[in-house]
Amino acid sequence: MQALDGIRILDFTQMMLGPYGTQLLADLGADVIKVERPEGEWERSLEMMGELVGGESAAFLAMNRNKRSVAVDLKDPLVRRALLELGAGCDVIVENFRPGVLARLGLGYEDFRAVKPDIIFCSGSGWGQDTTFARENRPGQDLLIQAMSGLAASTGRRLDPPTPAGTAIVDHATALMLANGILAALLARNTHGIGQKVEVDLYSTAIAMQCQEISTFVNQKKDYERSEEGIGQAWLSAPFGIYGARDGWIAVAMAPLAAIAEAVGDDALLDMDAWL
């Protein structure tokens, strides 16, 4: 028996934020029913490095295991009725359309709550459901969020341009937030008998991921400039980062200068200012 055996999730998500989060729940035993458009989720055909794997995207396959799928037209009134009937037998609804899209189709939180009062309805978005950028209908995408949150600006060396992470790190972290929020809501329903709406967004997650940096900047009120040599994090002293060597690169973390001086046989390192 798995932790979420008996839990059924109706999944309206696409790309990474939603699908990776619901996959984590499926891995815990939840029955996840993925709702796709008639031609299938567009990520199915997203080539990675210019190729597909057996006719499917490697990205899609990485985020949609342990799910069942149904392909429908959400604008069809009969489909809407069928999905609400299906939702009445579900525990969780998950979506990551732009704010308000499912509600306009008659498939929002209030619609599902009408057929199942203790439903858990989770929405994922880029900027939140009711923020300035959400109301302006701005696209919320991992790279844009890395840029706007300051995450990219604190990565790399001083003379480098703002540098995004080598993976969709904000999407991934927000998927974890989504799964965590749903698990908390399931516990609350089991404990208190209530359903609720859960909201997660990329921007809030990106800010939360930088809790140490932001606390440092706000409380110490110092201008931040990236290290010329690539110190990995703004509040730490050297050596902490990835440094060039004659035969490649070396990652050094949490090693005092004295230890490095001994390791490389150079006592001159002892006279260095670790904050520069």
Side-chain angles (χ1 to χ4, degrees):
M1 178 176 290
Q2 293 181 280
L4 295 184
D5 279 351
I7 298 297
R8 176 170 289 176
I9 298 173
L10 191 57
D11 179 5
F12 289 91
T13 67
Q14 53 192 324
M15 284 302 291
M16 187 175 193
L17 159 57
Y20 189 71
T22 55
Q23 177 177 270
L24 294 172
L25 301 173
D27 289 346
L28 292 174
D31 176 18
V32 177
I33 303 171
K34 182 178 177 69
V35 180
E36 304 185 46
R37 58 187 185 180
E39 63 272 26
E41 182 188 337
W42 74 270
E43 193 182 20
R44 285 182 179 271
S45 59
L46 178 63
E47 294 183 349
M48 303 294 285
M49 300 178 68
E51 296 180 358
L52 296 175
V53 179
E56 299 268 34
S57 169
F60 180 87
L61 296 173
M63 291 175 276
N64 289 284
R65 64 172 174 262
N66 289 340
K67 301 178 185 179
R68 298 186 288 163
S69 290
V70 57
V72 295
D73 180 0
L74 296 181
K75 296 180 179 180
D76 187 325
L78 293 178
V79 168
R80 173 187 175 275
R81 185 184 310 165
L83 289 172
L84 289 175
E85 290 179 3
L86 181 59
C90 290
D91 301 281
V92 183
I93 310 295
V94 191
E95 62 93 14
N96 67 337
F97 285 91
R98 291 194 181 190
V101 169
L102 271 192
R104 290 194 292 272
L105 293 171
L107 294 167
Y109 175 47
E110 297 300 332
D111 301 296
F112 280 103
R113 190 165 70 159
V115 297
K116 187 174 176 59
D118 64 349
I119 195 73
I120 294 164
F121 190 100
C122 182
S123 293
S125 64
W127 305 103
Q129 296 295 307
D130 188 22
T131 64
T132 298
F133 282 3
R135 289 191 293 273
E136 292 175 354
N137 204 32
R138 294 199 186 193
Q141 188 273 342
D142 184 277
L143 178 60
L144 302 179
I145 303 294
Q146 288 195 49
M148 285 294 293
S149 68
L151 187 60
S154 60
T155 304
R157 288 171 167 75
R158 183 176 300 166
L159 299 180
D160 293 340
T163 306
T167 186
I169 191 169
V170 182
D171 267 331
H172 185 278
T174 310
L176 297 176
M177 291 284 198
L178 180 143
N180 185 65
I182 290 172
L183 290 173
L186 286 169
L187 178 61
R189 193 183 67 179
N190 186 59
T191 304
H192 306 296
I194 59 170
Q196 60 184 297
K197 187 174 184 182
V198 176
E199 296 179 1
V200 298
D201 67 87
L202 298 175
Y203 186 72
S204 295
T205 299
I207 295 299
M209 289 166 63
Q210 300 175 81
C211 59
Q212 299 173 102
E213 293 89 344
I214 290 173
S215 178
T216 301
F217 302 154
V218 169
N219 290 291
Q220 297 180 204
K221 302 186 186 308
K222 292 183 177 180
D223 292 334
Y224 169 59
E225 189 173 39
R226 290 179 297 175
S227 163
E228 184 174 341
E229 294 302 324
I231 295 176
Q233 294 165 322
W235 70 95
L236 295 175
S237 58
F240 187 98
I242 298 177
Y243 301 89
R246 282 183 298 181
D247 59 349
W249 297 86
I250 183 171
V252 181
M254 301 300 186
L257 282 171
I260 298 298
E262 181 180 357
V264 301
D266 186 356
D267 289 340
L269 292 174
L270 297 173
D271 298 324
M272 292 179 63
D273 186 338
W275 287 103
L276 298 179

PDB file of all heavy atoms in Angstrom, residues 126-142:
ATOM      1  N   GLY A 126       2.331  31.741 -12.926  1.00  0.00           N
ATOM      2  CA  GLY A 126       3.621  32.398 -12.957  1.00  0.00           C
ATOM      3  C   GLY A 126       3.755  33.485 -11.909  1.00  0.00           C
ATOM      4  O   GLY A 126       4.751  33.581 -11.202  1.00  0.00           O
ATOM      5  N   TRP A 127       2.699  34.323 -11.812  1.00  0.00           N
ATOM      6  CA  TRP A 127       2.782  35.520 -10.982  1.00  0.00           C
ATOM      7  C   TRP A 127       1.749  35.551  -9.860  1.00  0.00           C
ATOM      8  O   TRP A 127       1.617  36.561  -9.171  1.00  0.00           O
ATOM      9  CB  TRP A 127       2.591  36.760 -11.848  1.00  0.00           C
ATOM     10  CG  TRP A 127       3.525  36.843 -13.009  1.00  0.00           C
ATOM     11  CD1 TRP A 127       3.244  36.573 -14.312  1.00  0.00           C
ATOM     12  CD2 TRP A 127       4.911  37.214 -12.978  1.00  0.00           C
ATOM     13  NE1 TRP A 127       4.353  36.753 -15.106  1.00  0.00           N
ATOM     14  CE2 TRP A 127       5.393  37.145 -14.309  1.00  0.00           C
ATOM     15  CE3 TRP A 127       5.791  37.600 -11.959  1.00  0.00           C
ATOM     16  CZ2 TRP A 127       6.710  37.453 -14.648  1.00  0.00           C
ATOM     17  CZ3 TRP A 127       7.102  37.899 -12.303  1.00  0.00           C
ATOM     18  CH2 TRP A 127       7.556  37.825 -13.619  1.00  0.00           C
ATOM     19  N   GLY A 128       1.007  34.477  -9.656  1.00  0.00           N
ATOM     20  CA  GLY A 128      -0.086  34.503  -8.695  1.00  0.00           C
ATOM     21  C   GLY A 128      -1.409  34.717  -9.409  1.00  0.00           C
ATOM     22  O   GLY A 128      -1.458  35.042 -10.594  1.00  0.00           O
ATOM     23  N   GLN A 129      -2.491  34.549  -8.680  1.00  0.00           N
ATOM     24  CA  GLN A 129      -3.815  34.622  -9.289  1.00  0.00           C
ATOM     25  C   GLN A 129      -4.356  36.049  -9.407  1.00  0.00           C
ATOM     26  O   GLN A 129      -5.144  36.345 -10.295  1.00  0.00           O
ATOM     27  CB  GLN A 129      -4.798  33.779  -8.468  1.00  0.00           C
ATOM     28  CG  GLN A 129      -4.468  32.295  -8.459  1.00  0.00           C
ATOM     29  CD  GLN A 129      -4.579  31.661  -9.837  1.00  0.00           C
ATOM     30  OE1 GLN A 129      -5.604  31.786 -10.502  1.00  0.00           O
ATOM     31  NE2 GLN A 129      -3.520  30.983 -10.258  1.00  0.00           N
ATOM     32  N   ASP A 130      -3.926  36.943  -8.511  1.00  0.00           N
ATOM     33  CA  ASP A 130      -4.471  38.298  -8.530  1.00  0.00           C
ATOM     34  C   ASP A 130      -3.379  39.294  -8.172  1.00  0.00           C
ATOM     35  O   ASP A 130      -3.394  39.931  -7.121  1.00  0.00           O
ATOM     36  CB  ASP A 130      -5.648  38.415  -7.550  1.00  0.00           C
ATOM     37  CG  ASP A 130      -6.380  39.744  -7.674  1.00  0.00           C
ATOM     38  OD1 ASP A 130      -6.282  40.383  -8.739  1.00  0.00           O
ATOM     39  OD2 ASP A 130      -7.030  40.171  -6.687  1.00  0.00           O
ATOM     40  N   THR A 131      -2.405  39.412  -9.050  1.00  0.00           N
ATOM     41  CA  THR A 131      -1.303  40.359  -8.872  1.00  0.00           C
ATOM     42  C   THR A 131      -1.270  41.281 -10.081  1.00  0.00           C
ATOM     43  O   THR A 131      -1.975  41.062 -11.075  1.00  0.00           O
ATOM     44  CB  THR A 131       0.044  39.626  -8.752  1.00  0.00           C
ATOM     45  OG1 THR A 131       0.311  38.943  -9.995  1.00  0.00           O
ATOM     46  CG2 THR A 131       0.022  38.608  -7.611  1.00  0.00           C
ATOM     47  N   THR A 132      -0.448  42.308 -10.005  1.00  0.00           N
ATOM     48  CA  THR A 132      -0.369  43.262 -11.120  1.00  0.00           C
ATOM     49  C   THR A 132       0.014  42.558 -12.416  1.00  0.00           C
ATOM     50  O   THR A 132      -0.631  42.745 -13.460  1.00  0.00           O
ATOM     51  CB  THR A 132       0.655  44.362 -10.806  1.00  0.00           C
ATOM     52  OG1 THR A 132       0.233  45.079  -9.645  1.00  0.00           O
ATOM     53  CG2 THR A 132       0.781  45.329 -11.972  1.00  0.00           C
ATOM     54  N   PHE A 133       1.050  41.733 -12.374  1.00  0.00           N
ATOM     55  CA  PHE A 133       1.484  41.057 -13.588  1.00  0.00           C
ATOM     56  C   PHE A 133       0.450  40.039 -14.069  1.00  0.00           C
ATOM     57  O   PHE A 133       0.281  39.834 -15.269  1.00  0.00           O
ATOM     58  CB  PHE A 133       2.825  40.365 -13.363  1.00  0.00           C
ATOM     59  CG  PHE A 133       3.998  41.311 -13.403  1.00  0.00           C
ATOM     60  CD1 PHE A 133       3.818  42.675 -13.568  1.00  0.00           C
ATOM     61  CD2 PHE A 133       5.291  40.828 -13.271  1.00  0.00           C
ATOM     62  CE1 PHE A 133       4.889  43.545 -13.606  1.00  0.00           C
ATOM     63  CE2 PHE A 133       6.385  41.691 -13.313  1.00  0.00           C
ATOM     64  CZ  PHE A 133       6.181  43.060 -13.479  1.00  0.00           C
ATOM     65  N   ALA A 134      -0.240  39.400 -13.133  1.00  0.00           N
ATOM     66  CA  ALA A 134      -1.292  38.457 -13.538  1.00  0.00           C
ATOM     67  C   ALA A 134      -2.421  39.202 -14.234  1.00  0.00           C
ATOM     68  O   ALA A 134      -2.944  38.745 -15.261  1.00  0.00           O
ATOM     69  CB  ALA A 134      -1.810  37.703 -12.324  1.00  0.00           C
ATOM     70  N   ARG A 135      -2.816  40.355 -13.683  1.00  0.00           N
ATOM     71  CA  ARG A 135      -3.907  41.141 -14.294  1.00  0.00           C
ATOM     72  C   ARG A 135      -3.486  41.695 -15.650  1.00  0.00           C
ATOM     73  O   ARG A 135      -4.341  41.914 -16.524  1.00  0.00           O
ATOM     74  CB  ARG A 135      -4.323  42.272 -13.354  1.00  0.00           C
ATOM     75  CG  ARG A 135      -5.069  41.789 -12.114  1.00  0.00           C
ATOM     76  CD  ARG A 135      -5.681  42.939 -11.350  1.00  0.00           C
ATOM     77  NE  ARG A 135      -4.682  43.810 -10.758  1.00  0.00           N
ATOM     78  CZ  ARG A 135      -4.132  43.624  -9.560  1.00  0.00           C
ATOM     79  NH1 ARG A 135      -4.493  42.581  -8.824  1.00  0.00           N
ATOM     80  NH2 ARG A 135      -3.237  44.469  -9.087  1.00  0.00           N
ATOM     81  N   GLU A 136      -2.190  41.919 -15.835  1.00  0.00           N
ATOM     82  CA  GLU A 136      -1.688  42.378 -17.137  1.00  0.00           C
ATOM     83  C   GLU A 136      -1.516  41.229 -18.116  1.00  0.00           C
ATOM     84  O   GLU A 136      -1.073  41.436 -19.247  1.00  0.00           O
ATOM     85  CB  GLU A 136      -0.349  43.101 -16.943  1.00  0.00           C
ATOM     86  CG  GLU A 136      -0.470  44.424 -16.204  1.00  0.00           C
ATOM     87  CD  GLU A 136       0.884  45.062 -15.931  1.00  0.00           C
ATOM     88  OE1 GLU A 136       1.919  44.414 -16.214  1.00  0.00           O
ATOM     89  OE2 GLU A 136       0.902  46.203 -15.446  1.00  0.00           O
ATOM     90  N   ASN A 137      -1.830  40.015 -17.657  1.00  0.00           N
ATOM     91  CA  ASN A 137      -1.759  38.818 -18.504  1.00  0.00           C
ATOM     92  C   ASN A 137      -0.347  38.562 -19.019  1.00  0.00           C
ATOM     93  O   ASN A 137      -0.143  38.079 -20.134  1.00  0.00           O
ATOM     94  CB  ASN A 137      -2.737  38.936 -19.688  1.00  0.00           C
ATOM     95  CG  ASN A 137      -3.137  37.570 -20.224  1.00  0.00           C
ATOM     96  OD1 ASN A 137      -3.208  36.597 -19.471  1.00  0.00           O
ATOM     97  ND2 ASN A 137      -3.403  37.483 -21.512  1.00  0.00           N
ATOM     98  N   ARG A 138       0.649  38.877 -18.196  1.00  0.00           N
ATOM     99  CA  ARG A 138       2.028  38.629 -18.604  1.00  0.00           C
ATOM    100  C   ARG A 138       2.329  37.136 -18.543  1.00  0.00           C
ATOM    101  O   ARG A 138       1.861  36.429 -17.650  1.00  0.00           O
ATOM    102  CB  ARG A 138       2.997  39.374 -17.687  1.00  0.00           C
ATOM    103  CG  ARG A 138       2.906  40.880 -17.790  1.00  0.00           C
ATOM    104  CD  ARG A 138       4.160  41.518 -17.252  1.00  0.00           C
ATOM    105  NE  ARG A 138       4.055  42.964 -17.215  1.00  0.00           N
ATOM    106  CZ  ARG A 138       5.100  43.765 -17.013  1.00  0.00           C
ATOM    107  NH1 ARG A 138       6.312  43.251 -16.840  1.00  0.00           N
ATOM    108  NH2 ARG A 138       4.943  45.070 -16.977  1.00  0.00           N
ATOM    109  N   PRO A 139       3.122  36.646 -19.479  1.00  0.00           N
ATOM    110  CA  PRO A 139       3.482  35.221 -19.438  1.00  0.00           C
ATOM    111  C   PRO A 139       4.373  34.930 -18.236  1.00  0.00           C
ATOM    112  O   PRO A 139       5.262  35.721 -17.908  1.00  0.00           O
ATOM    113  CB  PRO A 139       4.219  35.003 -20.761  1.00  0.00           C
ATOM    114  CG  PRO A 139       4.735  36.363 -21.138  1.00  0.00           C
ATOM    115  CD  PRO A 139       3.717  37.335 -20.637  1.00  0.00           C
ATOM    116  N   GLY A 140       4.107  33.827 -17.564  1.00  0.00           N
ATOM    117  CA  GLY A 140       4.934  33.408 -16.445  1.00  0.00           C
ATOM    118  C   GLY A 140       5.701  32.161 -16.833  1.00  0.00           C
ATOM    119  O   GLY A 140       5.126  31.080 -16.946  1.00  0.00           O
ATOM    120  N   GLN A 141       6.989  32.300 -17.043  1.00  0.00           N
ATOM    121  CA  GLN A 141       7.818  31.196 -17.541  1.00  0.00           C
ATOM    122  C   GLN A 141       9.118  31.191 -16.758  1.00  0.00           C
ATOM    123  O   GLN A 141       9.581  32.235 -16.292  1.00  0.00           O
ATOM    124  CB  GLN A 141       8.054  31.385 -19.044  1.00  0.00           C
ATOM    125  CG  GLN A 141       8.724  30.248 -19.765  1.00  0.00           C
ATOM    126  CD  GLN A 141      10.237  30.335 -19.707  1.00  0.00           C
ATOM    127  OE1 GLN A 141      10.803  31.385 -19.415  1.00  0.00           O
ATOM    128  NE2 GLN A 141      10.892  29.215 -19.984  1.00  0.00           N
ATOM    129  N   ASP A 142       9.713  30.011 -16.591  1.00  0.00           N
ATOM    130  CA  ASP A 142      10.857  29.848 -15.700  1.00  0.00           C
ATOM    131  C   ASP A 142      11.960  30.868 -15.934  1.00  0.00           C
ATOM    132  O   ASP A 142      12.425  31.518 -14.988  1.00  0.00           O
ATOM    133  CB  ASP A 142      11.403  28.424 -15.857  1.00  0.00           C
ATOM    134  CG  ASP A 142      12.535  28.129 -14.895  1.00  0.00           C
ATOM    135  OD1 ASP A 142      13.686  28.488 -15.196  1.00  0.00           O
ATOM    136  OD2 ASP A 142      12.274  27.535 -13.836  1.00  0.00           O
TER     137      ASP A 142
END
